[in-house]
Amino acid sequence: RYWAYRDEQGSYNLFFWKLTTVRLLFVIVFEHVVLGVVKLIDIFIPDIPDSVQLRIDIDEIIANDILNDDDSIKKKFSSVGTNTVTRKEVKEGRYPGIS
């Protein structure tokens, strides 16, 4: 049996427990430092690139303008009931531009 860190009776001595505590604290502190660095990287690097966010904002403004314009909505959806295309008609090939 390896006798390092044990006393004469074979139980662990005080140095073993101090060393084990220091090792455990090192692991916990290191883990928290890594989590902190990851969190900082997450904060400073955006999830959505600026160009994509700009395009999303522009599309949202355009959609709001269209929805606020009552005349265009009436024109766009006034003939919905009369020009309805069914899936069956699309599958049969009557409307080749729609897939």
Side-chain angles (χ1 to χ4, degrees), residues 52-68:
V52 175
Q53 185 63 46
L54 178 64
R55 187 64 205 174
I56 290 171
D57 294 340
I58 291 171
D59 289 345
E60 185 177 332
I61 291 170
I62 292 171
N64 285 334
D65 288 344
I66 291 172
L67 290 175
N68 288 333

Side-chain angles (χ1 to χ4, degrees), residues 24-38:
L24 181 63
L25 286 174
F26 173 78
V27 169
I28 292 171
V29 169
F30 185 77
E31 179 257 344
H32 278 75
V33 167
V34 169
L35 286 177
V37 169
V38 168

Side-chain angles (χ1 to χ4, degrees), residues 1-2 9 20 25 29 33 44 46 48 70 72-73 94 96:
R1 181 181 251 204
Y2 182 66
Q9 290 84 22
T20 303
L25 286 174
V29 169
V33 167
F44 287 117
I48 301 175
D70 292 333
S72 67
I73 291 175
R94 294 185 194 173

Side-chain angles (χ1 to χ4, degrees), residues 68-92:
N68 288 333
D69 187 15
D70 292 333
D71 293 333
S72 67
I73 291 175
K74 289 176 186 173
K75 288 177 189 175
K76 190 177 234 179
F77 295 109
S78 63
S79 62
V80 168
T82 59
N83 294 331
T84 305
V85 178
T86 64
R87 289 184 181 179
K88 182 179 178 184
E89 292 172 330
V90 173
K91 286 183 182 178
E92 290 174 355

